[in-house]
Amino acid sequence: MKEVQDHWFRLAKAEGYRARSAYKLLELDERLHLLRKGDRVLDAGAAPGSWTQVAARLVGERGRVEGVDLKAIDPKGLPPNVRVHQADLREITHESLGGAPFDAVISDMAPDTSGVP
């Protein structure tokens, strides 16, 4: 599989984001003001965690981000207001995600097509 190493890839690496997709959420939030300080956010399909990183920064220390994906998400380097879960969203309980309602649900999910020509 060809890895994209464009301007956004290099910028993401330089700024400590896990993937270039972080800038999609930053742009959406800049235009639509989706996330606010103190929000509780569910990141569905969170791996590798770049949207989780952005959401954690936008909601601040008083906010909370729960990242869920079928794939494992490395918690190393994520702030304390983030919890990651390797689970199927259809099977995970609301209680295991903290029990409180979410202010926003974000997702950059797509089918896994790696290696499919």
Side-chain angles (χ1 to χ4, degrees), residues 13-117:
K13 295 305 169 197
E15 293 186 356
Y17 290 121
R18 296 174 181 213
R20 61 199 299 276
S21 60
Y23 299 103
K24 286 194 272 186
L25 182 56
L26 286 167
E27 183 178 335
L28 284 167
D29 190 71
E30 187 176 307
R31 282 192 285 143
L32 303 172
H33 309 288
L34 302 171
L35 306 178
R36 295 179 185 88
K37 297 287 184 199
D39 277 357
R40 259 182 59 79
V41 178
L42 172 62
D43 184 358
S50 60
W51 275 34
T52 303
Q53 288 177 295
V54 170
R57 192 183 89 205
L58 293 172
V59 302
E61 292 178 5
R62 292 184 308 135
R64 185 82 179 157
V65 180
E66 302 283 343
V68 181
D69 201 293
L70 292 171
K71 296 179 181 178
I73 304 164
D74 185 0
K76 207 173 358 174
L78 293 174
N81 64 336
V82 171
R83 269 194 333 178
V84 293
H85 310 266
Q86 183 176 1
D88 187 325
L89 268 174
R90 298 170 295 184
E91 297 171 2
I92 196 165
T93 66
H94 187 68
E95 289 74 28
S96 67
L97 296 174
F102 290 101
D103 298 296
V105 177
I106 59 175
S107 179
D108 192 29
M109 234 187 287
D112 189 359
T113 57
S114 296
V116 177

